[in-house]
Amino acid sequence: MNLSDKELERYARHIVLPQVGGVGQRRLKAASLAVVGAGGIGSSVIPALAGAGVGRLTIIDGDKVELANLHRQPLFREADAGQAKAELAASFVRKLNRHIVVKPVQDHIGTENAKQLLAGHDLVIDGSDNFATRLAVSDASVELGIPLVSAAAVQFQGQVGLFRSKPCYRCFVGDAFDADDCDNCAELGVLGALSATVGSFAALLAVNAIVGIGEDQSGRIQVFDGEKLAWRVMSIPADPACKACGSG
Ligand SMILES: [Zn+2]
């Protein structure tokens, strides 16, 4: 997959990096990513990936813009209230970078359709706002063998990690939240700048994974405390009894 003169000019600050170069930039162009959620996390992830030159982006979100989203979702404007987030996010991508093929999916993702929506992608980034969705996305990613960056931000606490099937996100959180949307922003609140911090980290994790920068980060969760302003890393052991990736 070659880069045109315009693309070489556009991505010059990437290509000059020895860790990226022309090879890395072509890997980004060849990559097809699914982004679940055009919300607080997605508002950082989607512009970062589109700007970075990820060739194909599928944006999955069934929600419409509400006034209470705007403190953490700079993809949207006041005038967008009531409009579909997936379409608006896709329109943002097209305006930012003509070289990206973007596909909006205005639908809620769940156990019934996750495999179908995620199949064919090289990486999934999940920035959805509840455990049931995150588990459905994780289980489908494990079944399809697609690496997953899972990111979440609630109140002052953020977490983000890369999973390559085993251990998986379900090994980390267990089965208790399968049908439970108890832990979401609507009820608990979230600091807008925290979503942006975690979303930017998720985008960096994804870009590094696609290009092959640094050591493999899979199986580790990065936890961010937005009050202490400190990151901490946890290694996730694979759960042999995990419903998704275990043998039992
Ligand atoms: Zn697992």
Side-chain angles (χ1 to χ4, degrees), residues 36-37 41 109 125-135 137 151-153:
V36 178
I41 303 284
I109 191 167
I125 303 188
D126 183 12
S128 61
D129 68 354
N130 65 82
F131 279 111
T133 303
R134 288 199 286 272
L135 284 166
V137 169

Side-chain angles (χ1 to χ4, degrees), residues 48-72:
L49 297 182
V54 171
R56 288 174 181 273
L57 286 176
T58 302
I59 299 170
I60 305 164
D61 197 310
D63 286 341
K64 293 180 172 160
V65 177
E66 298 173 14
L67 208 52
N69 298 146
L70 298 182
H71 84 298
R72 68 183 188 288

Side-chain angles (χ1 to χ4, degrees), residues 112-124:
E112 68 292 344
N113 62 358
K115 260 180 81 175
Q116 177 209 335
L117 290 176
L118 300 179
H121 295 90
D122 301 308
L123 184 93
V124 175

